[in-house]
Amino acid sequence: MVTDADEKALTRFVYREARLADESSYDEWEALWDDDAVYWVPRGDGEFDPAKHVSHLYDHRQRIATRIRQLKTGYRYSQIPVSPMRRMISNLEFFDGENEGEFEVQYNFILAELAIQSTHEMNFWVGRTTIKVRGDLDVPRLFYKKIALVDGDEPIPSLSFII
Amino acid sequence: MGRMDNFSPIDYGELVQEDRIHGSLYIDEDVYNDEMDRIFHKGWAFVGHDSEIPNVGDYVTRMVGKQSVIMMRSKDMKVRVFLNRCQHRGNQLCNEKQGNKRALACPYHGWAYNTEGELKDVPYKGGFDKPLSDFNLEQPRTDDYRGFVWACLAQEGISLLEHLGRATELFDRACDLSPEGELNLTAGWDRHRYLANWKMLPENDTDGYHVNFTHRSFVEAIDSQYGDFVQEEESIEGVVIDWGMGHTEIDFARGYKEPLKWFGVTEAKVPEYVQAMKDAYGDEEAMEKLRVGPPHACIFPNLFLGEMNIVIFQPEAVGGCVQWHTPMFLKGAEQLNYRLLRQSEGAMGPSSFLVADDATIAQLTQRTLEQGQPWCDLSRGMGREVEEPNGNLVSHMTDETNNRGFWKHYKVVMEG
Ligand code: FES
Ligand SMILES: [Fe+2]
């Protein structure tokens, strides 16, 4: 059972995570993750299996750390300067997780990303996110984030920011 | 913006010189149209791999220059390539990227073709007097080398083997990393859009000079086999190679001492694979194959054997292209697949640790070229490259010998 209080706390978390991503607050964003992290952008909404199909990205905890470390070197040209971004989130749905004390939230998003480091195009990234968290909902631990892009199986521009 | 004079035919001999090329080659619509015609329609272009369509009726759709094509496994198990265009009034036959069909039926008036491309049914036959056999799907010349399927829209011209030339050796090197000698491209394709001219892909993918700079963040953040190439000029052992016919390579193997360096592991990490290789090729040959590893080579015009990735370059417009990639799974070594998938995502594609930065550089280059028409210099290494007995030109890994090789062939093709 997901209570109203749980929903409120989870919504707060979703918004906070989104703001940290929007603002490329790398350390704070990385600190949200638990050790068994899966951060996954499959090629859209289809039946994709990360053990069989190539994804845009499929990171465990260590690779998230690598990704952030690379962004912080000051030479990650695809994010110099970092893309200004804002994402709108809606259609939140809340579910109990697989284990006691775990929750799943799914929501739609539209993300406007200005590719300021190269083309100066405004890229619109649209899709549905699934996150899974556990622990004290005031400071939940994020252990799963899957972003299914509407156009995930079409050609997409560089995606080296936090989505 | 284009050439200074838009009325006379383009003088490719002037624009492509031995030591430099003109910037208009990346930004001129007329050049782009010539390329689609002379390189992609009159010459051979890579379409797909036969392991993508194992069963009768399996198909994928791909672009060959400006032309959409269907690569299909026919009932006789042959791989055929058809133009994706109905022979009635030209509707697109197949809109899906891939799938399986018993027949290709046109959604406009229902003409139906079998998997061999023969027109088998025209609805309301009464009003149509021509023989159906005059309306079979158009098939470009099609051939394959070790499962890599190529098409040439022109019915006349050189054979695929002539086009590949010595570079067949590079395909052999890739395929022979499988204990069964075969690849399995079943992971699907990730597609990365660049707002840059397509030629920047083959140029950059075998450019050994940029690694230390474009990929400085990678080198600093990640410990990999490429780290060994970021060092003083004299101690770099890797070389670049012009294989002729526009095929180019960075050969890292000359710097590899131990087996499997290219895979970032030791033998102990993948014992079943090493054993399967020894069983297939004998100990000595297997260990040499495992030392040398896969090629890192661009095959003119649109294929990149990118170590353990297979990559397609797809031009979209003069200022836009798509880079496709899929991990190179090896038949008989399925236990490597998970690692290959993660390595593939790490190196190639929109979120990768490497190519995302290459894309940024390509897009910035495109913007500046559009602002004017400077010359791009390609002379690095002209004074120290060496011709090997097989005719290959070889030079230091940071030299532009291979880029010159690309452009040399480009000029021959473009001058027709
Ligand atoms: S155009 Fe295909 S059936 Fe008429
Ligand atoms: Fe690169």
Side-chain angles (χ1 to χ4, degrees):
Chain A
M1 242 303 274
V2 187
T3 67
D4 282 358
D6 293 339
E7 287 196 7
K8 270 202 178 130
L10 289 163
T11 306
R12 270 200 303 277
F13 178 79
V14 166
Y15 287 166
R16 176 155 179 267
E17 192 267 347
R19 176 168 47 77
L20 296 176
D22 278 347
E23 297 176 358
S24 298
S25 302
Y26 298 135
D27 291 335
E28 283 173 87
W29 184 80
E30 191 189 339
L32 302 175
W33 285 98
D34 217 338
D35 291 342
D36 55 346
V38 171
Y39 170 42
W40 183 27
V41 185
R43 299 196 329 271
D45 236 338
E47 291 289 306
F48 292 110
D49 175 349
K52 290 198 181 116
H53 304 120
V54 66
S55 302
H56 295 305
L57 70 86
Y58 187 82
D59 290 1
H60 49 58
R61 183 66 189 83
Q62 217 185 325
R63 194 174 266 205
I64 292 172
T66 304
R67 196 172 287 285
I68 298 301
R69 195 163 67 239
Q70 186 187 25
L71 285 162
K72 287 169 64 181
T73 57
Y75 299 101
R76 176 62 160 161
Y77 294 111
S78 52
Q79 278 298 300
I80 297 179
V82 295
S83 299
M85 289 183 278
R86 288 298 168 195
R87 63 201 81 192
M88 314 293 292
I89 284 168
S90 77
N91 306 51
L92 287 92
E93 294 183 73
F94 303 89
F95 307 92
D96 283 312
E98 276 154 46
N99 302 305
E100 187 65 36
E102 294 180 354
F103 294 95
E104 175 175 323
V105 188
Q106 297 183 16
Y107 52 90
N108 295 353
F109 70 92
I110 298 181
L111 160 60
E113 180 240 348
L114 179 64
I116 197 171
Q117 58 292 119
S118 59
T119 61
H120 293 254
E121 299 262 315
M122 186 82 112
N123 294 323
F124 285 92
W125 303 83
V126 183
R128 187 157 177 86
T129 303
T130 302
I131 62 160
K132 296 179 187 176
V133 300
R134 62 167 72 94
D136 174 357
L137 288 191
D138 285 331
V139 275
R141 308 288 300 156
L142 179 62
F143 65 95
Y144 183 91
K145 185 179 186 191
K146 172 184 163 187
I147 300 103
L149 295 166
V150 168
D151 59 351
D153 210 9
E154 291 290 315
I156 61 169
S158 292
L159 198 182
S160 54
F161 51 83
I162 300 172
I163 188 162
Chain B
M1 202 189 293
R3 302 178 315 283
M4 288 157 212
D5 165 8
N6 281 312
F7 302 103
S8 54
I10 301 167
D11 182 355
Y12 290 101
E14 174 62 23
L15 297 177
V16 182
Q17 301 180 3
E18 201 191 350
D19 61 337
R20 59 179 196 165
I21 51 145
H22 194 255
S24 62
L25 293 164
Y26 300 91
I27 61 163
D28 188 319
E29 292 274 351
D30 295 335
V31 169
Y32 179 76
N33 288 328
D34 281 352
E35 289 171 351
M36 292 305 101
D37 181 49
R38 295 174 202 175
I39 296 175
F40 284 87
H41 298 164
K42 296 208 171 90
W44 288 95
F46 173 67
V47 179
H49 193 267
D50 69 3
S51 63
E52 296 182 72
I53 48 168
N55 305 310
V56 173
D58 285 352
Y59 69 90
V60 296
T61 54
R62 294 282 148 81
M63 295 302 288
V64 170
K66 293 183 176 179
Q67 178 67 55
S68 172
V69 300
I70 304 167
M71 178 177 87
M72 190 171 222
R73 180 76 65 174
S74 303
K75 224 187 191 148
D76 58 5
M77 290 313 279
K78 241 184 95 170
V79 172
R80 284 188 168 77
V81 176
F82 308 122
L83 301 197
N84 188 4
R85 180 168 70 211
C86 178
Q87 292 299 299
H88 176 218
R89 274 163 41 198
N91 183 40
Q92 177 181 274
L93 266 181
C94 186
N95 190 37
E96 299 88 348
K97 280 192 291 286
Q98 66 188 81
N100 181 284
K101 286 182 198 279
R102 287 173 50 197
L104 290 159
C106 177
Y108 196 177
H109 311 95
W111 283 27
Y113 306 84
N114 67 13
T115 58
E116 269 96 25
E118 296 160 340
L119 179 61
K120 282 297 175 194
D121 191 29
V122 170
Y124 308 114
K125 270 199 193 74
F128 190 68
D129 300 328
K130 293 184 175 176
L132 299 195
S133 57
D134 286 359
F135 294 86
N136 294 337
L137 293 179
E138 284 171 76
Q139 292 187 37
R141 277 198 295 150
T142 306
D143 199 359
D144 88 292
Y145 186 75
R146 299 201 67 163
F148 289 80
V149 179
W150 295 68
C152 176
L153 302 189
Q155 294 300 334
E156 306 280 306
I158 61 172
S159 68
L160 176 62
L161 279 181
E162 285 172 293
H163 172 74
L164 297 179
R166 294 190 292 276
T168 51
E169 206 179 289
L170 299 164
F171 292 85
D172 296 340
R173 201 198 293 168
C175 297
D176 291 348
L177 286 175
S178 152
E180 297 175 24
E182 284 182 45
L183 307 181
N184 224 351
L185 305 192
T186 56
W189 296 86
D190 192 46
R191 293 185 290 168
H192 186 188
R193 172 166 283 130
Y194 285 46
L195 295 181
N197 185 266
W198 70 276
K199 297 187 290 301
M200 293 195 192
L201 299 176
E203 283 191 303
N204 171 251
D205 281 325
T206 55
D207 181 299
Y209 194 17
H210 76 293
V211 179
N212 212 355
F213 308 97
T214 303
H215 301 303
R216 180 158 174 189
S217 66
F218 177 92
V219 173
E220 286 190 7
I222 295 154
D223 184 28
S224 84
Q225 73 267 32
Y226 301 109
D228 293 1
F229 299 100
V230 184
Q231 44 190 322
E232 292 307 306
E233 189 165 2
E234 308 78 56
S235 52
I236 294 175
E237 291 175 80
V239 295
V240 290
I241 305 178
D242 165 10
W243 281 80
M245 295 299 283
H247 314 312
T248 61
E249 187 197 4
I250 301 182
D251 186 5
F252 294 107
R254 299 189 191 199
Y256 291 152
K257 305 277 182 290
E258 308 96 55
L260 290 158
K261 188 97 169 109
W262 47 274
F263 198 38
V265 300
T266 57
E267 287 170 73
K269 194 94 195 260
V270 287
E272 303 100 319
Y273 174 50
V274 174
Q275 193 54 51
M277 286 293 285
K278 286 180 173 171
D279 293 346
Y281 299 105
D283 287 13
E284 204 175 314
E285 200 184 325
M287 292 318 283
E288 178 59 7
K289 286 184 194 306
L290 292 176
R291 183 191 68 79
V292 170
H296 182 117
C298 288
I299 310 299
F300 195 87
N302 66 332
L303 173 66
F304 174 31
L305 305 174
E307 301 179 48
M308 297 309 281
N309 295 287
I310 302 298
V311 179
I312 307 174
F313 312 135
Q314 182 195 331
E316 285 198 311
V318 66
C321 61
V322 177
Q323 179 149 264
W324 302 44
H325 79 100
T326 192
M328 188 172 92
F329 290 163
L330 306 171
K331 263 189 204 158
E334 284 68 27
Q335 66 277 16
L336 306 183
N337 289 2
Y338 192 85
R339 191 178 171 92
L340 287 171
L341 280 161
R342 303 293 86 86
Q343 286 192 349
S344 183
E345 291 147 2
M348 303 294 303
S351 301
S352 62
F353 298 108
L354 284 168
V355 162
D357 295 320
D358 293 304
T360 299
I361 299 292
Q363 293 177 158
L364 291 171
T365 308
Q366 186 74 22
R367 283 167 69 87
T368 56
L369 291 169
E370 282 167 2
Q371 292 157 12
Q373 302 174 5
W375 289 92
C376 301
D377 191 85
L378 286 176
S379 66
R380 224 189 125 75
M382 281 177 79
R384 63 175 172 183
E385 64 195 17
V386 180
E387 187 171 337
E388 297 204 325
N390 64 1
N392 283 356
L393 281 180
V394 180
S395 205
H396 190 270
M397 201 180 90
T398 60
D399 287 345
E400 282 153 344
T401 300
N402 48 359
N403 277 316
R404 285 193 294 280
F406 173 88
W407 285 103
K408 196 166 42 184
H409 186 65
Y410 176 94
K411 183 161 119 177
V412 169
V413 175
M414 295 300 280
E415 286 188 316

